Amino acid sequence: MLGVGIFRHRGLGCQADFDIAEEAYLKARDQGSEEAVLQLAILYAERGDESSIEEARRIASESSEPNCARLWLIRSNLLMLLEGSNTPTRKSLEAAMHAADMGDADACEWCGEVLARGTTGLINNEKAHQYLDIAIADGRTRAMIAKGIMLANGQGVHVADKHKASEYIERAARLGDADAKAILKRVWSENTSEEVQSSESSRISYFE
């Protein structure tokens, strides 16, 4: 029933229907699904009316502490919704960090970026590098870009290392990341003469 709820909630391959999704989540909850409880709260928060939001808050406050990375990420999303924010909040970050500490690559990439940028008012360069390294080992290109920017800015290292930074961003570009390609193309065009650019076509072939 959880799967039915998610498909109807998100309109995956079918028309979204919150009422059908709610019914499916409630059945899955009664069958003992912890994820269904959190997904149900997210559905209520997304409905947006006062009574639904109040119910979502009640569920969030009464739900047990997640026991796996996926549930911590879902809880992080719920907390961000309840705080009415489209950007990371301190509480949502703290929840996601539990998932990152369990080695979840998605959580590591997201938490690493947030901690590096200080989006929530919390900057932790050591943790950011740690999380980003885990995500990079899993091939996550956004983590490569974030790592490169940190190294270029000298965040969490003794001295800035633009050469090493470029290696991470080039790696992301070779894997097809559009943002990485744009960064390299801009830097290359700003720092290299047209003559050199034309003779280094192999180097910039992955910009296109």
Side-chain angles (χ1 to χ4, degrees):
M1 294 308 299
L2 175 62
V4 173
I6 292 172
F7 272 70
R8 281 298 192 171
H9 186 179
R10 298 302 171 195
L12 301 175
C14 58
Q15 184 175 353
D17 189 316
F18 275 23
D19 291 335
I20 294 177
E22 178 184 11
E23 183 180 352
Y25 284 149
L26 287 170
K27 288 181 179 179
R29 180 202 64 184
D30 293 343
Q31 293 169 356
S33 171
E34 293 182 37
E35 180 173 344
V37 174
L38 294 174
Q39 295 287 8
L40 184 63
I42 288 175
L43 183 148
Y44 289 149
E46 290 176 345
R47 269 184 175 160
D49 61 273
E50 187 175 340
S51 62
S52 293
I53 292 175
E54 186 60 33
E55 180 63 10
R57 293 188 187 282
R58 184 193 67 77
I59 293 173
S61 65
E62 294 180 1
S63 60
S64 59
E65 187 171 286
N67 59 7
C68 69
R70 175 174 170 78
L71 294 183
W72 274 116
L73 284 175
I74 296 171
R75 184 175 180 82
S76 173
N77 185 31
L78 171 60
L79 292 172
M80 197 153 55
L81 282 170
L82 291 176
E83 293 184 47
S85 176
N86 291 322
T87 58
T89 62
R90 182 67 69 93
K91 287 182 179 179
S92 66
L93 172 61
E94 289 173 351
M97 285 175 69
H98 282 284
D101 288 337
M102 293 177 178
D104 183 271
D106 288 330
C108 285
E109 183 174 54
W110 189 78
C111 291
E113 287 184 285
V114 172
L115 288 170
R117 294 175 180 171
T119 311
T120 65
L122 175 64
I123 296 177
N124 187 325
N125 290 327
E126 182 179 356
K127 270 286 189 184
H129 277 293
Q130 175 188 331
Y131 289 150
L132 291 173
D133 286 343
I134 293 172
I136 288 168
D138 195 60
R140 306 307 176 97
T141 57
R142 284 207 337 265
M144 296 171 195
I145 294 171
K147 179 85 171 183
I149 291 172
M150 288 189 75
L151 291 172
N153 291 336
Q155 286 180 255
V157 292
H158 293 300
V159 293
D161 189 339
K162 293 187 177 181
H163 177 73
K164 191 69 174 176
S166 68
E167 290 181 355
Y168 278 105
I169 296 175
E170 285 179 7
R171 181 177 169 186
R174 290 191 180 96
L175 290 172
D177 189 283
D179 290 334
K181 291 179 182 181
I183 291 170
L184 290 175
K185 190 169 186 177
R186 184 175 65 250
V187 171
W188 191 249
S189 63
E190 288 175 353
N191 294 284
T192 311
S193 69
E194 290 184 7
E195 180 181 354
V196 173
Q197 286 184 49
S198 64
S199 66
E200 292 283 352
S201 59
S202 62
R203 178 180 172 82
I204 63 173
S205 61
Y206 49 82
F207 293 164
E208 301 170 354

